[in-house]
């Protein structure tokens, strides 16, 4: 009898855990801002705020999925176009443009001179299947 109760409990807990998984959502707009710096150079580059349609966000944690791919896109661009492969690349994101504008103000306070990256660089959405 104890075994049946334990098995039933295990099945219920498994079913609950599967149904409690976070869903991935694709909002209409995800705004991104790229930031790149190097320990070898004092020049800090920043991209313009870009509207990346097709980016995915975890509905539970509000975290940008495949964030590393977006920073890698920026790193590849810096390696190919500027011949600077050793740069640290960071991507900031938000669903509202005002939030990123606030982030730029913070960056400007910390780094006195931000060099804008030419608008030739564009983030491209990472393909992902809907779940």
């Amino acid at each position: 009898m104890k075994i049946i109760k334990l098995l039933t409990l295990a099945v219920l807990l498994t079913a609950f855990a599967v149904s409690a998984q976070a869903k991935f959502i694709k909002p209409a707009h995800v705004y991104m801002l790229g930031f790149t710096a190097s320990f070898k150079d004092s020049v800090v580059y920043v991209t313009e705020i870009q509207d990346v349609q097709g980016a995915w966000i975890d509905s539970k944690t509000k975290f940008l999925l495949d964030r590393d791919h977006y920073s890698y896109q920026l790193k590849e661009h810096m390696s190919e176009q500027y011949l600077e492969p050793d740069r640290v690349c960071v991507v900031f994101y938000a669903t509202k443009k005002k939030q990123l504008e606030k982030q730029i103000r913070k960056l400007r306070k910390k780094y006195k001179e931000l060099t804008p990256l030419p608008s030739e660089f564009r983030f491209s959405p990472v393909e992902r299947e809907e779940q």
Side-chain angles (χ1 to χ4, degrees), residues 68-111:
D68 56 331
H69 293 288
Y70 293 107
S71 61
Y72 190 71
Q73 287 176 17
L74 183 56
K75 188 171 183 69
E76 281 294 307
H77 177 76
M78 293 304 292
S79 296
E80 293 170 3
Q81 300 297 321
Y82 293 88
L83 302 175
E84 297 186 31
D86 299 327
R87 297 194 76 81
V88 176
C89 299
V90 179
V91 174
F92 298 96
Y93 71 97
T95 54
K96 295 180 180 157
K97 196 171 183 177
K98 275 200 177 299
Q99 292 171 328
L100 280 184
E101 289 168 351
K102 183 177 178 182
Q103 191 67 42
I104 286 179
R105 284 192 296 274
K106 285 182 184 179
L107 288 173
R108 286 194 197 285
K109 284 182 184 177
K110 189 168 186 172
Y111 303 95

Side-chain angles (χ1 to χ4, degrees), residues 25-34 48-58 61-65 67 70 90-104 123:
I25 57 173
K26 189 187 222 180
H29 301 279
V30 175
Y31 297 97
M32 289 188 198
L33 166 72
E48 60 186 24
I49 295 176
Q50 301 175 18
D51 182 4
V52 181
Q53 296 182 4
W56 292 86
I57 292 183
D58 187 323
T61 62
K62 305 294 187 229
F63 196 77
L64 177 68
L65 299 174
R67 191 174 186 170
Y70 293 107
V90 179
V91 174
F92 298 96
Y93 71 97
T95 54
K96 295 180 180 157
K97 196 171 183 177
K98 275 200 177 299
Q99 292 171 328
L100 280 184
E101 289 168 351
K102 183 177 178 182
Q103 191 67 42
I104 286 179
F123 288 110

Side-chain angles (χ1 to χ4, degrees), residues 18 35-36 43 54 59 72 81 90 117:
V18 169
F35 170 85
T36 176
V43 179
S59 64
Y72 190 71
Q81 300 297 321
V90 179
L117 209 57

Side-chain angles (χ1 to χ4, degrees), residues 36-45 78 84 86-87:
T36 176
S38 175
F39 295 111
K40 297 178 181 178
D41 189 5
S42 64
V43 179
V44 176
Y45 293 101
M78 293 304 292
E84 297 186 31
D86 299 327
R87 297 194 76 81

